Amino acid sequence: MKMPRAPQVRSMMSFSVLTPYFKEEVLFSSEDLHKKNEDGISILFYLRKIYPDEWKNCLERIKFKPKDEESLKLKMDEISPWASYRGQTLTRTVRGMMYYRRALEIQCIQDKIDIAKLDRQRTPASYQEGASIVDMALAIADIKFTYVVSCQVYGMQKISKDLKDKACYLNILNLMITYPSLRIAYIDEVEAPTRNGTTEKTYYSVLVKGVGEKYDEEIYRIKLPGKPTDIGEGKPENQNHAIIFTRGEALQAIDMNQDNYLEEAFKMRNVLEEFGSENYGKSKPTILGLREHIFTGSVSSLAWFMSNQETSFVTIGQRVLANPLKVRFHYGHPDIFDRLFHITRGGISKASKTINLSEDIFSGFNSTMREGNITHHEYMQVGKGRDVGMNQISSFEAKVANGNGEQTLSRDIYRLGRRFDFYRMLSFYFTTVGFYFSSMVTVLTVYVFLYGRLYLVMSGLEKSIFQDPRIQDNIKTLENALASQSVFQLGLLLVLPMVMEVGLEKGFRTALGEFIIMQLQLASVFFTFQLGTKTHYYGRTILHGGAKYRPTGRGFVVYHAKFADNYRMYSRSHFVKGLELLILLVVYLAYGKSYRSSRLYLFVTFSIWFLVASWLFAPFIFNPSCFEWQKTVDDWTDWRKWMGNRGGIGMSADQSWEAWWTSEQEHLRKTSIRALFLEILLSLRFLIYQYGIVYHLNIARRNTSILVYGLSWLVMLTVLVVLKMVSIGRQKFGTDLQLMFRILKGLLFLGFVSVMAVLFVVCNLTISDVFASILGFLPTGWCILLIGQACSPLIKKTTLWDSIMELGRAYDNIMGLVLFLPIGFLSWFPFVSEFQTRLLFNQAFSRGLQISRILAGQKDIGEFE
């Protein structure tokens, strides 16, 4: 925590702060603050409950005592900034960064003036001297500090007729007027006539400042060779076009959802001295890393988990990466760059499309490869907001996993790996792409383990091993070993860095208490679920490429996500994989229970059952009001409507199942032949179930002939023909002749019942055979579906594609029903919803739900009182 001595302000390094902005919230409007979500909770209500003392102070400051909610609208000019300073808004970020200027003014005055002497004299001359020193302090602060916000769409918002865009423009203009030293950079699009009489678009990078009370004034205009955001990724290009307007020797990159504190701003002089410190010898620092203070931890249990995880990474994690491992890079804002070093070596943001999706870390790679030195300092911190909802967090994790997939394929990783010494290379691997690769290998190991067990149990090899007298004596020892091992398989070691950092800062008793509370609030379920997110998106990027930016939003209020929204988001990444592992576990249990003890099975598969439960139900467990009966009914209605809507021109993925299903194949249309071949090869694993199960059916009568397997494929072909008939019937009769379509479905149903009756009576089919057949044929159908999707470029406009789509609809209906049944069952019991709300969400959300239920007449007001 040692800091270099601070020089006088006039002798310190000059620096700039750069913030990229797109279309996020600038200032909460009255409508935003009072708009209630479907749970009856508004942003203002939520903030008042999270910060009750600060709300009381605010009312005291503005000398106002509200009688009801409506009366608050009379004072929105004072209340809107108060609320915006507690959300993730541009107003909060700008206010925080302008503390740097305020701190420099105070420190400059302190350097020049003897306050005690002025207090004693109090003469006109002393007042004049003080005023001149204040004017000089303001001038020096302007020389030493520049703040540029790169609002790439500011010009479009200025001329837009959309009310929201216009409000954003006016709010940004008000910020410039409030803070005269604030500068806004944006991309201006001008249509200019050419010699041929036509017009062509010309793009300029423009810098403006606030003038007077309601105007902006252009300072610089630089012509660009083209539209930057068409050349590269949006956010890095937004920074690149504005970096020329920054000044000074240092540049701090600040994100839109950050904050700063006056007491931290006082330390900026000390931090900047690190660039010239003699402690580093010839390897002068080129990037100074700072720790972050996560200010969104109180919103929900998920926000608390992310806050603890992020806090451990920006403290104990980056501390070790910087020293002794020397493999710390730039992981995002608020690092401070040696501006002159970086603008002469490619800038602070690589912006090539797709490959530089995670643009932050590539500037760290670039700095290290060009003999830079990246350090980490914890005596100064900057505020940071994090995602607070399950879907927001998953989108963020997906974006980071996609970025790591692209990093794995990049030449930067290759060059660094080749040039590092062996130990630094290992440290570099395990702290960048190696973490994601290891996560993927962990999940793949589960698959290999279960498919190996499936082969052993279906072939009878496991039975012969367990019945061998030489093995019997070792089984008891194996059970005891697995019992001790399963405790560590819960993933408790993953939270060890969090416990250590909280212990160092707050004491180990507090750390132990927080760890226990996190486990009670199902932190293990959440982190296991995010393991699936990392694995899916990292693996898909490695296989097919095509990573893209995923906006996570800066929402503040926790809201209920509909079942269809959760299904669209997690279907292919978690639900399909979870159901596959579930079928593997069930088959392994059903065909091995006759000779294997249940205790051994539990020890072997307990952690995998936990993984399956997390992947299938975590989005619903952490979804507010998910187990409320009315919400469940509404979700089911919305789900059925979404599944039934046909796609078409203008239909989005959240309106129609067909539009969503088509968008899910997008990554397959641009991939390579090798990736498609590997996709088909991986899909063939689903054929193992049918091949193993059909020979264990009672109707097969222990016949091991290949004919039995052939007959099972005849059954599968019949099912596909029926689905094709339904598809044709839907196309010909579904819209105009509903009666004919229903008659067709009725005939197919009668035919199915007749065939089943014959099989039961003549062929001695049993109920257990029916369930076993379902376990065998469902994976086979999914295999056909995956192969059909991989071949979509070839069969897209054929009738075979319609059959594949109908098969996909049937499987999504089945998966939706399997997931919805437990939710519907738990929704019957009102205490489940109440328990979920109290356990996983903070008091503000819980009280908001209770008030909304009282107003809706669902609860007696006396009970709430």
Side-chain angles (χ1 to χ4, degrees), residues 164-209:
K164 186 171 179 62
D165 286 344
K166 201 69 177 177
C168 285
Y169 156 70
L170 291 173
N171 289 329
I172 294 171
L173 180 60
N174 287 334
L175 286 175
M176 284 193 286
I177 293 167
T178 305
Y179 304 103
S181 56
L182 173 65
R183 301 290 180 262
I184 300 295
Y186 68 94
I187 300 170
D188 194 21
E189 186 178 301
V190 179
E191 287 195 0
T194 62
R195 294 178 181 178
N196 302 330
T198 59
T199 59
E200 80 173 348
K201 290 183 178 179
T202 308
Y203 297 93
Y204 295 89
S205 187
V206 183
L207 186 72
V208 296
K209 65 178 180 179

Side-chain angles (χ1 to χ4, degrees), residues 164-371:
K164 186 171 179 62
D165 286 344
K166 201 69 177 177
C168 285
Y169 156 70
L170 291 173
N171 289 329
I172 294 171
L173 180 60
N174 287 334
L175 286 175
M176 284 193 286
I177 293 167
T178 305
Y179 304 103
S181 56
L182 173 65
R183 301 290 180 262
I184 300 295
Y186 68 94
I187 300 170
D188 194 21
E189 186 178 301
V190 179
E191 287 195 0
T194 62
R195 294 178 181 178
N196 302 330
T198 59
T199 59
E200 80 173 348
K201 290 183 178 179
T202 308
Y203 297 93
Y204 295 89
S205 187
V206 183
L207 186 72
V208 296
K209 65 178 180 179
V211 176
E213 295 184 359
K214 54 179 180 179
Y215 298 105
D216 55 24
E217 180 183 345
E218 186 175 305
I219 306 173
Y220 299 113
R221 175 177 289 262
I222 300 171
K223 189 176 180 179
L224 301 173
K227 191 175 183 180
T229 50
D230 286 347
I231 301 170
E233 292 287 348
K235 183 180 175 182
E237 288 292 13
N238 195 13
Q239 294 182 149
N240 285 337
H241 91 90
I243 196 171
I244 195 167
F245 299 128
T246 59
R247 298 182 302 174
E249 302 150 274
L251 174 64
Q252 184 175 28
I254 291 292
D255 212 344
M256 207 293 299
N257 61 336
Q258 294 201 241
D259 194 7
N260 201 8
Y261 315 104
L262 184 62
E263 65 273 19
E264 299 297 329
F266 283 127
K267 305 173 191 173
M268 194 62 175
R269 292 186 301 175
N270 307 77
V271 178
L272 293 176
E273 286 301 296
E274 296 281 359
F275 282 117
S277 175
E278 299 296 330
N279 297 335
Y280 303 100
K282 294 181 179 180
S283 301
K284 301 293 185 185
T286 51
I287 298 178
L288 305 178
L290 304 179
R291 66 173 279 168
E292 296 171 348
H293 166 245
I294 312 301
F295 56 72
T296 50
S298 61
V299 175
S300 66
S301 60
L302 293 182
W304 187 46
F305 300 158
M306 288 298 290
S307 173
N308 284 337
Q309 184 186 43
E310 195 71 16
T311 299
S312 67
F313 175 66
V314 300
T315 51
I316 196 170
Q318 294 188 19
R319 184 187 311 153
V320 173
L321 295 185
N323 186 29
L325 300 183
K326 304 299 288 183
V327 289
R328 187 196 186 276
F329 300 104
H330 174 50
Y331 301 105
H333 314 90
D335 289 0
I336 304 172
F337 292 83
D338 182 334
R339 180 173 171 273
L340 300 180
F341 178 92
H342 284 91
I343 63 173
T344 56
R345 291 167 177 80
I348 66 168
S349 298
K350 281 195 171 184
S352 298
K353 283 279 189 182
T354 307
I355 194 74
N356 294 135
L357 178 69
S358 298
E359 83 285 349
D360 297 323
I361 200 167
F362 281 96
S363 61
F365 293 160
N366 187 42
S367 185
T368 302
M369 282 191 286
R370 296 174 186 272
E371 299 185 359

Side-chain angles (χ1 to χ4, degrees), residues 9-10 12 98-113 129-146 178-183 247:
V9 175
R10 63 187 305 167
M12 68 176 284
M98 294 310 293
Y99 281 142
Y100 282 133
R101 190 175 186 277
R102 180 65 180 146
L104 291 178
E105 292 171 13
I106 295 170
Q107 289 170 325
C108 190
I109 293 171
Q110 185 186 27
D111 289 342
K112 292 293 180 184
I113 199 168
E129 181 186 351
S132 64
I133 290 175
V134 169
D135 292 339
M136 184 179 65
L138 294 174
I140 292 177
D142 281 334
I143 292 171
K144 294 297 181 181
F145 171 70
T146 305
T178 305
Y179 304 103
S181 56
L182 173 65
R183 301 290 180 262
R247 298 182 302 174

Side-chain angles (χ1 to χ4, degrees), residues 137-154:
L138 294 174
I140 292 177
D142 281 334
I143 292 171
K144 294 297 181 181
F145 171 70
T146 305
Y147 186 28
V148 178
V149 178
S150 182
C151 307
Q152 67 184 53
V153 294
Y154 176 79

Side-chain angles (χ1 to χ4, degrees), residues 729-741:
R730 190 187 300 275
Q731 290 176 0
K732 290 190 174 182
F733 311 123
T735 306
D736 301 324
L737 300 170
Q738 283 282 339
L739 180 61
M740 290 293 295
F741 186 51

